[in-house]
Amino acid sequence: MNCATLSNMTGFILSVLDQSSVASGRSPAAAVQETLALARHVEALGFNRYWCAEHHNSASHAGSAPEVLLAAIGATTSRIRIGSAGIMLPHYSALKVAEQFRMLEAIAPGRVDLGVGRAPGSDGRTAFALNPDAARAAERFPNQIMEILGWHGDGLPEGHPFASIIAQPVTATRPQMWVLGSSDYGAQVAGYFGLPYCFAHFFSDGGGSEQVMEIYRQSFQPKPDLPARLAAPYPALGVFCLVADTEAEARRLFRSRELWRLKRDRGMFLPLPSVEEAEAYPYSDLELARLEQIRAQAMVGAPEQVRAKLEALSAAHGGISEFAVITHCHDAAARQRSYTLLAEVFGMKGEVAPALAAE
């Protein structure tokens, strides 16, 4: 069965993408605890999957080891799919990643996603500290995907030097592999391997995302004879949304994200400021002009407003199979409320979709 058979009335599925963002005045450890609580909350609401991002040496995000965090989420949930968004492969051995996600599959059978990316998820110095050969390793990204798929059940090509190695633990089910990215490179790689692809729309407010999705569809090569490959493209978008009971309240809460984005655009990755900090900040005329751009593009508002924006975004991309929703909000309770309102406006019933599969 294809995951799309359990979509909501709009034709697409809703999931969650979490960066374990650090809020000013609270510790990175507190951000991790908020992630664990949010995963349980959105599972009860019926979101399809819960993805954890990978960032290093960042004061903004505490999610440095998604594979560890996912083990805790998998052990404390029962239905929602869990996955990485994503594991930055150039930092790591493909075998180690294959083993980690086979272990997760043993913890949460039939509900593990392995999302992989090529970006460093950090600055150059940190990338070097993680893997001194990271620059050259990025060139092996497609080979690493092939190797992981091989260890997860496809088998490695005859004559491959690692063909006799088994990635333990052997499990009856296997993780679903995804390719994640913010350029057409990842889209082409996903298409070549017949894998689902998620574009990070929230990175740059979607610049060029329509063209990237079209490239993904055009480059897609069905491989229905292989496990975990798809018979047709499965395009998804990672999007920022913030929902509140009223538009005014949503806009007020969004001020934290606005100021954070201004700082990020200057290369400053800081904790998410509070609404009060954002309101007290002395914005320059240039910054106020940038805020107008951010506000015009933001999927922020009351439930029906955000629903309409997601529906329009899906239509603009030729039909999106799934949205992975990321919500930065300084108030943890307001963040949970945002996902609750999103589930309600889309009529979610607390069901979770099955794994993607070739048809």
Side-chain angles (χ1 to χ4, degrees), residues 181-206:
S182 56
S183 71
D184 58 9
Y185 176 81
Q188 293 176 71
V189 171
Y192 172 79
F193 283 105
L195 296 172
Y197 175 69
C198 184
F199 180 84
H201 183 277
F202 63 93
F203 272 10
S204 58
D205 299 315

Side-chain angles (χ1 to χ4, degrees), residues 334-345:
R335 186 185 185 207
Q336 289 196 6
R337 177 66 175 162
S338 178
Y339 283 111
T340 298
L341 293 171
L342 200 59
E344 289 175 353
V345 77

